[in-house]
Amino acid sequence: MRHEVIVIGAGMVGTSVAWHLQKNNAEVLLIDKKLPGSETSYGNAGLIQREAIHTHPFPRQLTEMIRVLPNQGTDIRYRIPAILRYHQALLQYWKYSTPASVKKIEGEWQTLIEHCTSEHQTMISASGADELITRDGWLQLHRSEDTFKEAIALAIDARNQGVEHNVLTVEELRVMEPSANFDEFVGAIHWLNSWQVSNPSFLVKAYAKNFQEMGGTIKETGVQEILQEDGGWKIVTDTETFYSDKLVIAAGPWSNDLIKPLGYDLPLFPMRGYHQHFKVNEKNTIHHSMFDMDKGFVMGPMQQGIRITTGAEMTTMNAPKNFGQLKTVLKLARKILPLEDAVESEAWAGSRPCMPDMKPVIGPASNHEKLWFAFGHSHQGFTLGPMTGRLVEEMIHEKPLLVDIKPFSADRFSR
């Protein structure tokens, strides 16, 4: 059987691309080695981040670089083999992180973020997944008066971008979340129009189920080879061979491995995150996700329990788990919430796909017709999946585009 479109990658981004195409009368096959919502989309902090209008530049101030070098931080850690393997991409990341470059990049990035909740809502409504969503924001906690003042200034400026917030005192925090200990904090920003998701995996699965209800097909199998054939594409998998007129690569951190045999080598690098759940009781119940801004970790109420999510670890995809960062985070988290019984015997780990200019790759391939890319969203693939899906569908069906996609073109790295 020949499909109109094959989408490779069943995370939030790939599932959203397939959903939009199927909704607009394409005949779509979604392929991945694991079912939707089983990889990075399972393990994120569960936030649809309307407030995320700023990127995460490479540290350029000497004091910040000195802080990171001992490799004991809770927000970022690294392994030497990864530094060596991805050194060219990291050098580009450093070059793109000048203030002037970041300002331009963020202007382009914001064109995507501003539509994130409205695009999710379209898919939430169609999928009947509203019970997974809470729309009363999340809390950004601050330990330092200096970082708090800087954050308030940025939050005030963000109002011009449609981002809503309240500034909270420690006393107001205690009223909102009486189970938490805020003695080491000076205040917080309550981001009002960002959304919490009680089970990120279930949201992706709801989108995938709706995709199937519309007639879409999902195959759980690994991709062995991609070949251009008969004006379309031949996809050889672990179990069978599929054919399509058009192909979309949306496989997150695995995307580069799929497109390298076709002659593309983009500077994509993975950043790993860890999480662990703890059983909820009357002493640790919270109602909002809380991000410790100065330490770089998130505590969030999930269906599985209180999820503690680390910052980033720079490592290779297949490196063994290293729980050092998580153990340090848990020591801090337990000062805020009484976390006793872990739900899982071992913490989860997963990788995010990052690009050195802090923007995703969304658009047609430069050297092949009927091939599109949709990956590299860093920490925001969960937030931006539906928006990306809409844009890819608009491109494939030659519709007017909601935003300018030139800044996200794959060939920006070959110019």
Side-chain angles (χ1 to χ4, degrees):
M1 179 178 178
R2 189 178 184 93
H3 301 268
E4 181 181 344
V5 187
I6 288 178
V7 179
I8 301 178
M12 176 60 86
V13 175
T15 301
S16 298
V17 170
W19 186 92
H20 273 278
L21 286 164
Q22 190 69 38
K23 181 176 181 291
N24 286 273
N25 301 314
E27 192 276 311
V28 184
L29 171 64
L30 178 63
I31 299 176
D32 207 346
K33 58 186 175 183
K34 290 188 178 180
L35 292 174
S38 300
E39 286 283 2
T40 307
S41 296
Y42 168 84
N44 59 68
L47 298 172
I48 300 172
Q49 292 187 251
R50 176 63 184 86
E51 90 297 335
I53 61 173
H54 299 293
T55 57
H56 298 278
F58 195 97
R60 293 182 69 91
Q61 294 182 338
L62 183 60
T63 53
E64 183 67 8
M65 296 177 73
I66 291 172
R67 182 189 71 81
V68 172
L69 277 175
N71 206 22
Q72 297 299 311
T74 48
D75 56 344
I76 179 69
R77 292 198 183 184
Y78 58 89
R79 301 194 207 182
I80 296 301
I83 299 295
L84 296 175
R85 179 169 179 176
Y86 300 110
H87 70 278
Q88 291 182 331
L90 293 175
L91 179 60
Q92 290 186 58
Y93 185 13
W94 183 81
K95 290 179 178 178
Y96 279 116
S97 295
T98 64
S101 182
V102 169
K103 183 178 180 181
K104 180 177 183 296
I105 288 166
E106 289 186 342
E108 296 161 345
W109 169 259
Q110 288 162 11
T111 64
L112 301 177
I113 284 290
E114 68 176 309
H115 301 286
C116 67
T117 50
S118 59
E119 291 303 315
H120 262 284
Q121 187 58 58
T122 298
M123 295 181 66
I124 289 165
S125 297
S127 304
D130 204 69
E131 74 281 356
L132 297 171
I133 313 299
T134 305
R135 296 176 178 81
D136 56 0
W138 62 275
L139 304 174
Q140 179 177 304
L141 310 178
H142 286 265
R143 298 170 179 265
S144 159
E145 290 284 1
D146 290 339
T147 65
F148 192 30
K149 289 177 182 176
E150 291 173 6
I152 291 170
L154 287 172
I156 292 170
D157 185 61
R159 285 175 176 158
N160 296 326
Q161 304 291 330
V163 177
E164 301 170 8
H165 78 280
N166 282 333
V167 177
L168 303 178
T169 64
V170 172
E171 290 72 25
E172 289 170 325
L173 275 172
R174 289 178 177 135
V175 172
M176 288 186 70
E177 298 291 355
S179 296
N181 173 20
F182 296 114
D183 289 350
E184 296 186 10
F185 296 90
V186 299
I189 293 175
H190 182 191
W191 298 110
L192 297 171
N193 56 341
S194 294
W195 297 351
Q196 295 183 152
V197 181
S198 62
N199 192 320
S201 174
F202 280 13
L203 184 61
V204 180
K205 291 180 187 302
Y207 292 170
K209 181 182 178 183
N210 189 233
F211 161 72
Q212 291 176 300
E213 290 168 347
M214 292 187 291
T217 304
I218 298 174
K219 291 289 184 178
E220 182 182 10
T221 184
V223 173
Q224 294 294 327
E225 192 173 19
I226 299 173
L227 301 168
Q228 199 168 27
E229 186 177 284
D230 297 331
W233 296 94
K234 176 182 177 180
I235 313 299
V236 182
T237 75
D238 297 340
T239 56
E240 54 191 307
T241 299
F242 302 98
Y243 299 88
S244 71
D245 298 323
K246 305 176 183 72
L247 176 64
V248 182
I249 305 296
W254 295 276
S255 297
N256 228 20
D257 293 337
L258 294 171
I259 63 176
K260 275 184 178 180
L262 298 174
Y264 302 92
D265 189 9
L266 299 181
L268 183 149
F269 60 95
M271 294 290 275
R272 182 180 290 181
Y274 296 82
H275 84 228
Q276 193 160 24
H277 294 102
F278 292 84
K279 292 181 180 178
V280 178
N281 56 52
E282 60 182 14
K283 295 181 180 179
N284 67 11
T285 299
I286 55 175
H287 306 286
H288 300 81
S289 290
M290 300 186 292
F291 175 46
D292 188 328
M293 184 69 177
D294 296 277
K295 299 298 182 181
F297 68 93
V298 180
M299 301 163 283
M302 297 281 178
Q303 290 181 355
Q304 302 99 315
I306 304 295
R307 179 178 292 187
I308 308 300
T309 309
T310 67
E313 181 190 32
M314 179 73 197
T315 189
T316 54
M317 289 289 292
N318 298 320
K321 293 180 182 180
N322 182 339
F323 299 116
Q325 186 182 31
L326 178 62
K327 288 178 180 178
T328 306
V329 162
L330 289 176
K331 289 179 183 178
L332 294 167
R334 286 189 169 106
K335 293 181 179 180
I336 303 168
L337 289 173
L339 303 171
E340 297 170 359
D341 300 323
V343 174
E344 306 96 345
S345 59
E346 182 176 281
W348 175 91
S351 296
R352 311 173 183 99
C354 303
M355 304 303 297
D357 64 352
M358 298 159 277
K359 297 180 299 184
V361 175
I362 306 171
S366 55
N367 299 325
H368 293 80
E369 293 184 356
K370 302 180 182 180
L371 174 63
W372 288 264
F373 298 151
F375 54 80
H377 295 73
S378 187
H379 298 261
Q380 299 298 345
F382 188 75
T383 291
L384 290 176
M387 178 58 181
T388 302
R390 173 173 174 167
L391 289 173
V392 172
E393 187 277 323
E394 288 173 344
M395 284 184 281
I396 287 177
H397 290 152
E398 298 181 347
K399 296 178 180 179
L401 297 176
L402 181 61
V403 303
D404 181 10
I405 57 103
K406 291 188 186 71
F408 313 107
S409 169
D411 64 5
R412 67 187 190 262
F413 295 105
S414 61
R415 293 168 188 160

